[in-house]
Amino acid sequence: MDQLEALLFDVDGTLADTERDGHRAAFNRAFAEAGLDWNWSVELYGDLLAVTGGKERIRHFMEEYSPAWPPQDDLPSFIAGLHKRKTHFYTEAMRQGEIPLRPGVRRLMEEARAAGLRLGIATTTTPENVTALLTCSIGPEALNWFDVIAAGDVVPAKKPAPDIYTYAMDRMGLGPASCVAFEDSAHGVASAAGAGIDTIVVTVNDYTRDQDFSGASVVLDGLGEPDAPCAPLSGELVGREFVDLALVRHWHERAVSR
Ligand code: XBP
Ligand code: MG
């Protein structure tokens, strides 16, 4: 049986609830700075999350919602410029510690490292955003916890395409049966499953709670903590009240022995 060797983490929605008050707020600050009357409400942003990637999301908004914008000779550069400023505002907010890690994330990562497992990141967001979140929520040493931080435009196709997970595993020299993926969204589950990863743990959040997680091993409301139990939406905790490495190994062994 393939041994569990690595935990692969999505970032936005999984490591931290970054979308509503982090990314969405940063997009709106960039739009305001550019003099655009665009404002992504909490509800509209939930719809726009159907498109992964910030630049792709801005273009989708322009095409689908036809907001006003000044004539542009080079639309891709206009979008890239807006996104660059959005990333500036987002990393500034992360550096101020505005958004903490979700319960159980740091505990599970530290337990896995102590047990000799490897860690990787597979995310659609930019590397700068990952660096800012990890540095400010754990410390600069956290960047050395991961064998690979696969992020953003490093692959041609973003989630739900499998590219980012395939890239991460290739860089780690691992096959999918040696990995467990942690995700928060249907796009993320599709990406990990598309890369052949059987064991996918979903920790839903307010934006993703009602999505279709076909292909996931277990769906939870979070990883939980010893003093703050998590609840399964599907799958079982086999008598445990929070996700620890033993439970992850149980799900992995069950998946690879199927
Ligand atoms: C979620 C995404 C990202 C963020 C915005 O990434 O789709 O696009 O919404 O970040 P994850 P950028 O795979 O971590 O869930 O503006 O940097 O794309
Ligand atoms: Mg996510």
Side-chain angles (χ1 to χ4, degrees), residues 155-173:
V155 289
K158 292 184 168 76
K159 299 175 185 176
D163 301 42
I164 199 71
Y165 277 101
T166 303
Y167 175 91
M169 290 189 287
D170 287 350
R171 290 284 304 277
M172 296 175 79

Side-chain angles (χ1 to χ4, degrees), residues 10-12 19 23 27 45 52-54 57 83 86 123-126 129 159 184:
D10 163 56
V11 173
D12 295 306
E19 293 291 2
H23 288 296
F27 278 112
Y45 193 66
T52 60
R57 193 167 302 142
H83 190 252
K86 174 264 174 182
T123 176
T124 303
T125 194
T126 60
N129 290 348
K159 299 175 185 176
D184 73 299

Side-chain angles (χ1 to χ4, degrees), residues 11-13 15-26 90-102 132-138:
V11 173
D12 295 306
L15 294 192
D17 277 330
T18 52
E19 293 291 2
R20 190 189 67 188
D21 299 331
H23 288 296
R24 183 184 66 90
Y90 179 85
T91 53
E92 187 180 72
M94 289 306 108
R95 277 191 291 276
Q96 287 162 11
E98 290 186 12
I99 296 179
L101 292 182
R102 293 188 69 183
L133 175 66
L134 291 174
T135 302
C136 299
S137 58
I138 298 176

Side-chain angles (χ1 to χ4, degrees), residues 6-7 9 109 112-113 117-121 145-148 172:
L7 305 187
F9 290 89
M109 284 180 175
R113 292 181 71 241
L117 292 186
R118 298 159 71 187
L119 303 183
I121 286 205
W145 290 10
F146 301 89
D147 285 23
V148 64
M172 296 175 79

